[in-house]
Amino acid sequence: MAVPGGVLAIDAGNSKTDVALLAPDGTVLGRARGGGFQPHLTGAEAAVATLVPLAREAAEDAGLPPGQGPLASLVSAALANADFPAEERALASALRARRLAADVRVVNDTFAVLRAGVGEPRGVAVVCGAGTNCVGMLPDGRTARFPAVGRLSGDWGGGGHLAEEALWWAARAEDGRGEPSALAAEVAGYFGLPTVRDTIEALHFAPARWTAERHGLSPLLFRVAAAGDPVAGRLVERQAQEIVAMACVALARLGLLSVPAPVVLGGSVLAARHPQLEAAVLSGLAARAPLARPVHVAAPPVLGAALLGLDALAAAPAALARAAAQFTAPAGAPKPPAPAGAA
């Protein structure tokens, strides 16, 4: 089988990594999935080393012989924790050293969410998952972005932050420093303990439990808010305000605030479609960016990485459409045949 041109697309997030090998005409030849990608903890070299077996697995799925040299014309890698240009350069350098393709392009993984949700590289995306991030881009290559490294860079929100807020307000509701809130009983019950004080003590002496179980406090917060609790409701409203603020700033930076433009909403918190959060986000965008068109992205971010790669290769519109159709095909649909000349 001949070496395909095209794109080796990588979407590497904190919890999982998806890899796809595409022919120049947008046909998906092979795929692979692996674990999380955390270069901020392991270093760029060690993190990139975990991508190589996945690339080889996608190549094997495509029918390429083991040990085949470059797998594509371009590695299009959308990577979590690539928040600053220096990090993008380090990750790109580590990928080039692996010789998986003739060229390498690395972007933050939020760009993949954006590109997966739009028909052309134009618009803004806000991700609210474990944390928050926002990017924007235009067809001429201009982008807008935030450092997105937590409170250090002015961020507020995301599932991890909301979990901390839920516990903080529960503690104050129980001991009297804050106003009463159903969060106190609900948080203690979530951890299977009688009181928030018991919960705090348990987490103090077993902090690993907090790391392992905190993810469940974000949906708990939304449930308590939906039941009418004012403390939880204000936290949901604050999250919506932050999402709207990031989107509007990115739109303004790219000159899109006064023209019709998509705002792609992604990440696990937004994907859950909590009614209060969604209503507040939509009303906030309507007030501050009335021409913005909110879009909930349904396609996997690896599609965005693939489309960014095909954009860079100046692929025909038909190739972009073919790739998009395959990544949004129903589960279990047969893989399309390889294009003529690939074998």
Side-chain angles (χ1 to χ4, degrees):
M1 185 174 188
V3 177
V7 176
L8 179 64
I10 301 172
D11 171 63
N14 282 295
S15 60
K16 65 175 177 63
T17 298
D18 283 318
V19 176
L21 185 62
L22 290 88
D25 73 345
T27 300
V28 178
L29 303 174
R31 306 189 196 189
R33 170 167 284 191
F37 182 80
Q38 299 181 329
H40 61 303
L41 299 178
T42 65
E45 288 291 335
V48 166
T50 67
L51 302 178
V52 176
L54 296 176
R56 295 298 178 190
E57 184 179 337
E60 181 180 354
D61 187 45
L64 294 178
Q68 180 103 16
L71 304 176
S73 296
L74 175 69
V75 171
S76 177
L79 307 180
N81 307 297
D83 297 307
F84 293 93
E87 292 169 326
E88 291 177 344
R89 289 193 295 269
L91 291 165
S93 177
L95 274 167
R96 288 191 186 94
R98 268 62 181 189
R99 302 183 183 278
L100 296 171
D103 195 10
V104 171
R105 296 196 178 196
V106 170
V107 297
N108 181 271
D109 58 340
T110 308
F111 282 101
V113 174
L114 172 54
R115 189 62 183 91
V118 295
E120 61 174 341
R122 176 182 178 277
V124 163
V126 181
V127 168
C128 185
T132 60
N133 200 355
C134 176
V135 302
M137 62 182 174
L138 293 174
D140 63 11
R142 284 182 290 158
T143 63
R145 61 189 299 182
F146 299 85
V149 291
R151 290 187 64 84
L152 181 64
S153 58
D155 305 331
W156 192 98
H161 186 94
L162 290 174
E164 293 176 356
E165 290 288 312
L167 180 57
W168 193 89
W169 285 99
R172 295 174 72 87
E174 183 178 272
D175 67 21
R177 287 177 291 171
E179 65 185 278
S181 170
L183 284 170
E186 291 291 337
V187 168
Y190 171 76
F191 286 98
L193 295 167
T195 67
V196 180
R197 181 182 176 85
D198 294 324
T199 301
I200 293 167
E201 183 176 357
L203 297 177
H204 174 71
F205 287 106
R209 183 178 180 186
W210 170 245
T211 301
E213 298 184 35
R214 63 188 289 185
H215 65 278
L217 288 182
S218 175
L220 180 152
L221 171 66
F222 285 102
R223 290 197 300 271
V224 173
D229 184 80
V231 172
R234 286 196 295 271
L235 291 173
V236 173
E237 179 63 31
R238 174 71 188 279
Q239 180 65 89
Q241 292 170 357
E242 291 292 327
I243 291 168
V244 171
M246 286 191 293
C248 290
V249 170
L251 287 167
R253 287 179 181 175
L254 295 176
L256 296 175
L257 196 56
S258 59
V259 297
V263 174
V264 177
L265 303 173
S268 58
V269 173
L270 283 166
R273 306 293 290 267
H274 301 289
Q276 282 180 286
L277 179 64
E278 181 156 359
V281 168
L282 295 182
S283 64
L285 286 173
R288 296 184 56 180
L291 297 180
R293 179 172 58 87
V295 178
H296 280 278
V297 62
V302 68
L303 167 61
L307 294 177
L308 288 169
L310 291 170
D311 291 338
L313 296 179
L320 302 175
R322 182 175 292 108
Q326 291 172 84
F327 281 105
T328 55
K335 186 169 68 175

